[in-house]
Amino acid sequence: MTVGYGISHILSMMGQLFIKENEDIREKKKEENHKTSYLKNIVESYKFVFNNDLLRPIIICYIILVIAIGIFTSVQTYYILKVLKLDKGSIGIILGLGNIGFFIGSFTASFISKKMKMAKSLLLSVLFYFLGYISFYIFKDIKGLILGQILVSMAVPNYNINVVTLRQNITPVRKLASVSSIFRVCGRGLVPLGALLGGFLGEVITIRYTILLSALIILLSGIPVLFSKKLMTWS
């Protein structure tokens, strides 16, 4: 009897080990399938964005724009303090008064989008960015810099509201989250790259010319929108 019980326990343990091994294999397969599914969804979402005649010029514009923003913001404070020789209080005044443009832009965005087509609204926002950045290059007094900051902060809501509206109108509901994440990765995710580039350019071509270059790159961001016939006629 004792021998029989012993043999049965051994066989039971062996059976459990065998079942556990199968369960582990099934769990691993599930994980692999999930990973494959996630990767497949990511790839499909990127293909959707870059193959779409309306989203492609927008995402390319956004990538270039964000790199320029990263370049500018990385040297802005240093430029005001060290190049223009303004005091620390001036930075607070410039940003504090200049950022009223966010408030203005949030109200003008809907008005502008009603008066002109989506692509023209985006190009107007790009123009606001350019005029704001070039103001920092041209003006050396605090009034000119406040004006520049107002233009830059006005551009932000005007651009973002129009891009989000277009994106939501043409993207299937099941892809909204993934497309939104792609824009975040290609947008905010590239700010550090622009900042790194800004620091490098500041050493190579001076801070002042880095400000000018960021303004010129802003202009380049409008080219994909401008040369997209479908987007220019979309309303």
Side-chain angles (χ1 to χ4, degrees):
M1 289 287 288
T2 306
V3 174
Y5 280 125
I7 293 171
S8 67
H9 280 301
I10 292 170
L11 291 174
S12 176
M13 288 174 62
M14 290 176 65
Q16 288 176 0
L17 289 171
F18 181 75
I19 292 170
K20 189 174 183 300
E21 185 179 355
N22 282 345
E23 286 178 351
D24 288 341
I25 292 170
R26 284 197 293 270
E27 287 298 322
K28 286 180 181 179
K29 283 183 178 180
K30 284 181 181 178
E31 289 178 6
E32 287 175 0
N33 289 336
H34 281 308
K35 287 179 181 179
T36 304
S37 178
Y38 292 146
L39 289 172
K40 185 179 178 181
N41 287 336
I42 291 170
V43 171
E44 285 179 355
S45 297
Y46 272 94
K47 284 181 178 179
F48 174 78
V49 171
F50 284 94
N51 289 334
N52 188 284
D53 291 336
L54 293 174
L55 290 177
R56 184 175 58 254
I58 295 297
I59 193 80
I60 295 172
C61 169
Y62 196 36
I63 289 170
I64 299 171
L65 186 73
V66 167
I67 290 174
I69 290 171
I71 293 172
F72 178 83
T73 54
S74 68
V75 299
Q76 183 184 19
T77 302
Y78 186 90
Y79 178 73
I80 294 170
L81 291 175
K82 301 298 183 181
V83 178
L84 299 182
K85 307 295 184 183
L86 297 176
D87 56 33
K88 294 178 181 178
S90 299
I91 295 177
I93 294 171
I94 292 165
L95 296 179
L97 294 178
N99 284 342
I100 196 174
F102 285 108
F103 181 75
I104 298 170
S106 63
F107 283 97
T108 58
S110 59
F111 174 79
I112 290 172
S113 61
K114 289 177 183 177
K115 294 294 181 181
M116 57 179 65
K117 292 184 182 295
M118 182 69 69
K120 290 182 179 179
S121 298
L122 292 174
L123 291 174
L124 182 63
S125 301
V126 170
L127 181 62
F128 284 160
Y129 270 115
F130 170 74
L131 293 175
Y133 283 9
I134 205 70
S135 294
F136 277 82
Y137 177 77
I138 295 171
F139 298 113
K140 296 181 179 180
D141 63 290
I142 194 169
K143 292 179 181 177
L145 300 182
I146 290 171
L147 174 63
Q149 188 63 35
I150 289 173
L151 289 168
V152 170
S153 55
M154 277 181 64
V156 176
N158 274 289
Y159 186 88
N160 289 341
I161 289 171
N162 281 294
V163 167
V164 171
T165 301
L166 183 144
R167 195 172 68 207
Q168 291 181 343
N169 281 338
I170 65 175
T171 304
V173 176
R174 63 186 179 83
K175 287 186 175 292
L176 272 175
S178 56
V179 169
S180 178
S181 65
I182 289 170
F183 270 80
R184 286 182 179 275
V185 170
C186 294
R188 295 178 187 179
L190 293 178
V191 171
L193 177 62
L196 181 65
L197 187 57
F200 173 75
L201 291 170
E203 288 289 331
V204 175
I205 63 173
T206 74
I207 299 296
R208 190 159 187 267
Y209 283 115
T210 301
I211 293 287
L212 175 61
L213 183 62
S214 67
L216 296 176
I217 294 173
I218 287 287
L219 281 182
L220 290 177
S221 71
I223 292 176
V225 176
L226 189 63
F227 283 90
S228 173
K229 293 181 180 179
K230 193 169 183 177
L231 184 58
M232 289 297 293
T233 56
W234 194 86
S235 58

